[in-house]
């Protein structure tokens, strides 16, 4: 392995760690660099794997204890997250899609994890022990890779837990502050089809596209009608082909003006999409629709929502987040943040497509048997780990050790 490649990777993540740790206490700054580098090199959330990746001279147990103690005591989440948001602020543009979704980390055999609660396991479609994460991400402008802007892990068993909706509202408030005067559109799945959520977004004056549940009632021509019945009246006059999750679909699209009973006199549009699944897909939006292009823009925007699912898949497949074993919720929440920040950093690097990025992607070619890769994010993460596999010195040389000034002898004036 070329030593220059190892140096470039280390330098990149040292600079990224400096941005994350800016203004934090010096022990926290060193801890953040250790965690970021260790997770990238080991592709693991286990503290033992992260400690091995650091290649320190001390015993492994001491390094694990140090990381564990620093993670349990870390409390400046707000400063850490503000530093991350500052690093992506310049990439925010007008009319961006802001994708909102919840995920889960299940620990079905866990007994000693702090604040472990019952959650819905999306991958197995059942109830398991674990934690919920509220996630909000944007898609990078050119390559459409996911860039997380809010990732918060929580549990219903926490002492001050209110509700899942409240955790989502916190994220939406952050999005409004982050975008300031820029316009954006919230894109959500069926889980957010609730009167409280629509009322909250209306008060925020936010644009939205939400997939409707079949039990929802809408007002159409001053009559209250169920969504499936109203959808069947629209047969799809607009033809549209799209690739969703790697599969090509021939879609038929229609739309109709509607109202929500909880938001009377607020003009909305329901977009009906045939061809994806046995039942038509129903989308509700407050975007005005004037022509065919407006309708297709809404459908394309919702299809982009699956990018956040790629974010979850990267967390669990490439960084193996569900294998985390730290029992302390504060530490677990911190590791979840680091993985989200790294995915955002990777996505921004892929957006630039520099020589450094191409070299990392090239290093990962041998680790993929299937060359049909829709997102380069998977290959990039494996390329980084492949390069750092040949590293044997760790990151001690990058840490600045400040020597204390020499103590002066106490002298009394005579």
């Amino acid at each position: 392995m070329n030593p220059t490649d190892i140096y470039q990777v280390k330098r990149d993540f040292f600079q990224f760690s400096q941005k994350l740790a800016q203004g934090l206490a010096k022990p926290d700054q060193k801890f953040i660099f250790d965690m970021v580098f260790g997770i990238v090199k080991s592709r693991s959330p286990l503290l033992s794997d992260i400690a091995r990746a650091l290649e320190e001279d001390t015993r492994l147990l001491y390094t694990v204890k140090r990381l564990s103690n620093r993670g349990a005591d870390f409390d400046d989440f707000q400063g850490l997250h503000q530093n991350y948001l500052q690093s992506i602020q310049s990439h925010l543009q007008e009319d961006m899609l802001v994708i909102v979704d919840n995920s889960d980390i299940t620990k079905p055999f866990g007994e000693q994890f702090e604040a472990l609660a019952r959650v819905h396991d999306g991958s197995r479609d059942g109830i398991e022990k674990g934690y919920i994460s509220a996630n909000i991400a944007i898609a990078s402008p050119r390559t459409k890779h996911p860039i997380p802007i809010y990732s918060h892990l929580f549990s219903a068993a926490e002492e001050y837990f209110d509700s899942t909706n409240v955790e989502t509202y916190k994220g939406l408030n952050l999005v409004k502050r982050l975008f300031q005067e820029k316009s954006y559109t919230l894109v959500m799945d069926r889980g957010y089809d609730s009167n409280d959520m629509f009322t909250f977004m209306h008060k925020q004056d936010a644009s939205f596209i939400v997939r409707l549940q079949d039990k929802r009632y809408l007002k159409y021509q001053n009559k209250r009608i169920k969504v499936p019945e109203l959808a069947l009246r629209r047969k799809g006059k607009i033809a549209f082909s799209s690739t969703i999750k790697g599969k090509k679909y021939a879609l038929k699209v229609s739309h109709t003006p509607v109202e929500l009973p909880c938001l009377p006199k607020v003009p909305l549009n329901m977009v009906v999409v045939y061809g994806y699944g046995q039942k038509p897909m129903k989308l509700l939006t407050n975007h005005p629709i004037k022509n065919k292009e407006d309708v297709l823009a809404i459908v394309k925007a919702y299809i982009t929502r699956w990018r956040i699912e790629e974010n979850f898949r990267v967390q669990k497949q490439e960084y193996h987040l569900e294998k985390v074993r730290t029992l302390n919720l504060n530490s677990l929440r911190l590791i979840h943040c680091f993985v989200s920040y790294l995915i955002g950093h990777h996505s921004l690097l892929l957006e630039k497509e520099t020589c450094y990025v191409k070299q990392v992607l090239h290093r990962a070619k041998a680790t993929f048997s299937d060359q049909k890769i829709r997102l380069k994010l998977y290959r990039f993460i494996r390329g980084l780990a492949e390069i750092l596999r040949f590293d044997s010195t760790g990151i001690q040389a990058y840490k600045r050790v400040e020597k204390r000034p020499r103590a002066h002898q106490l002298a009394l004036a005579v």
Side-chain angles (χ1 to χ4, degrees):
M1 177 62 66
N2 189 344
T4 304
D5 293 342
I6 299 176
Y7 167 75
Q8 286 181 326
V9 172
K10 286 184 177 181
R11 182 184 63 180
D12 174 51
F13 287 99
F14 175 65
Q15 293 173 346
F16 176 60
S17 301
Q18 283 185 314
K19 292 178 182 178
L20 287 180
Q22 188 174 3
L24 303 185
K26 290 183 179 178
D28 288 338
Q29 292 180 4
K30 295 178 182 178
F31 167 70
I32 289 171
F33 189 22
D34 286 342
M35 292 297 294
V36 167
F37 179 80
I39 292 173
V40 171
K41 182 177 178 179
S42 65
R43 291 176 54 221
S44 170
L46 302 181
L47 293 181
S48 56
D49 291 340
I50 295 171
R52 290 187 185 92
L54 297 178
E55 304 286 351
E56 293 185 347
D57 296 332
T58 57
R59 290 180 61 184
L60 180 66
L61 180 61
Y62 296 156
T63 304
V64 172
K65 283 186 175 181
R66 173 172 60 83
L67 295 177
S68 178
N69 292 336
R70 293 305 309 173
D73 295 338
F74 187 87
D75 60 357
D76 198 356
F77 281 90
Q78 184 175 0
L80 179 67
H81 192 57
Q82 286 300 321
N83 287 339
Y84 169 73
L85 292 179
Q86 190 66 33
S87 69
I88 67 174
Q89 182 79 52
S90 60
H91 299 274
L92 301 180
Q93 300 177 2
E94 288 281 353
D95 300 323
M96 293 196 84
L97 300 175
V98 178
I99 309 165
V100 185
D101 203 359
N102 284 348
S103 183
D104 57 81
I105 293 179
T106 58
K107 307 299 294 183
F109 304 107
E111 296 293 340
Q112 302 299 321
F113 289 91
E114 183 183 357
L116 203 62
R118 309 293 288 182
V119 300
H120 179 262
D121 185 354
S123 58
R124 298 180 180 88
D125 195 21
I127 302 298
E128 290 285 2
K129 291 182 289 185
Y131 303 92
I132 308 172
S133 63
N135 303 276
I136 302 177
I138 58 176
S140 59
R142 189 177 63 85
T143 59
K144 303 303 179 184
H145 283 79
I147 303 175
I149 57 178
Y150 180 78
S151 296
H152 179 63
L153 193 73
F154 60 93
S155 169
E158 289 185 81
E159 183 178 357
Y160 299 106
F161 173 78
D162 195 343
S163 70
T164 303
N165 272 359
V166 169
E167 300 298 335
T168 303
Y169 297 155
K170 292 177 183 177
L172 297 181
N173 286 330
L174 182 143
V175 169
K176 190 171 181 64
R177 294 193 301 269
L178 181 65
F179 275 82
Q180 299 176 354
E181 300 301 321
K182 294 185 177 72
S183 60
Y184 59 90
T185 299
L186 300 172
V187 185
M188 302 177 172
D189 201 10
R190 284 172 289 197
Y192 297 91
D193 178 8
S194 71
N195 291 339
D196 290 342
M197 186 63 65
F198 285 123
T199 303
F200 182 86
M201 292 188 291
H202 179 66
K203 289 180 179 178
Q204 273 200 334
D205 196 25
S207 300
F208 61 81
I209 301 171
V210 180
R211 187 172 180 178
L212 293 171
Q213 299 185 38
D214 285 344
K215 64 182 181 180
R216 159 70 62 185
Y217 281 88
L218 296 173
K219 286 182 68 176
Y220 173 70
Q221 295 180 349
N222 294 324
K223 294 180 181 179
R224 196 165 177 265
I225 185 171
K226 211 168 185 180
V227 163
E229 183 182 343
L230 182 58
L232 291 175
R233 298 183 184 183
R234 296 292 180 270
K235 298 303 181 181
K237 296 182 179 180
I238 304 173
F240 174 60
S241 61
S242 178
T243 301
I244 304 174
K245 295 184 179 181
K247 186 176 179 181
K248 202 165 185 177
Y249 292 89
L251 307 177
K252 295 285 188 178
V253 186
S254 289
H255 71 96
T256 184
V258 295
E259 291 181 5
L260 277 170
C262 64
L263 296 175
K265 307 300 182 183
V266 176
L268 302 171
N269 286 288
M270 184 179 77
V271 177
V272 184
V273 183
Y274 289 90
Y276 179 71
Q278 294 181 347
K279 296 181 180 180
M281 183 168 62
K282 288 80 68 177
L283 308 176
L284 186 69
T285 180
N286 56 355
H287 277 286
I289 295 179
K290 298 178 181 179
N291 49 45
K292 171 184 173 181
E293 286 70 25
D294 292 341
V295 179
L296 294 181
I298 292 168
V299 177
K300 291 176 183 177
Y302 184 78
I303 291 173
T304 306
R305 192 200 68 81
W306 277 288
R307 289 303 188 186
I308 199 170
E309 294 189 7
E310 294 289 354
N311 177 40
F312 303 150
R313 193 170 290 111
V314 169
Q315 288 178 348
K316 296 178 180 181
Q317 289 187 1
E318 297 303 318
Y319 284 121
H320 311 286
L321 193 55
E322 285 193 318
K323 292 184 178 180
V324 64
R325 293 176 190 166
T326 177
L327 303 181
N328 181 271
L329 180 57
N330 196 75
S331 296
L332 200 155
R333 185 174 282 147
L334 190 59
I335 292 172
H336 180 265
C337 285
F338 284 138
V339 170
S340 297
Y341 298 160
L342 282 170
I343 291 173
H345 180 63
H346 299 335
S347 296
L348 291 176
L349 287 175
L350 289 166
E351 189 78 357
K352 299 175 183 177
E353 204 172 3
T354 59
C355 293
Y356 163 62
V357 171
K358 293 178 181 178
Q359 184 66 11
V360 173
L361 293 173
H362 175 72
R363 291 294 180 186
K365 279 187 176 181
T367 65
F368 282 88
S369 57
D370 183 9
Q371 298 300 317
K372 296 179 181 179
I373 302 172
R374 301 189 301 276
L375 264 75
K376 294 181 180 179
L377 191 55
Y378 300 90
R379 178 177 287 173
F380 187 77
I381 292 171
R382 295 193 189 186
L384 292 170
E386 181 66 18
I387 291 173
L388 292 177
R389 187 166 64 89
F390 297 89
D391 169 58
S392 59
T393 59
I395 53 174
Q396 289 296 326
Y398 287 80
K399 296 179 181 178
R400 296 180 181 178
V401 179
E402 295 186 7
K403 294 183 179 180
R404 295 181 179 179
R406 187 176 180 181
H408 295 286
Q409 181 67 36
L410 179 64
L412 299 177
V414 179

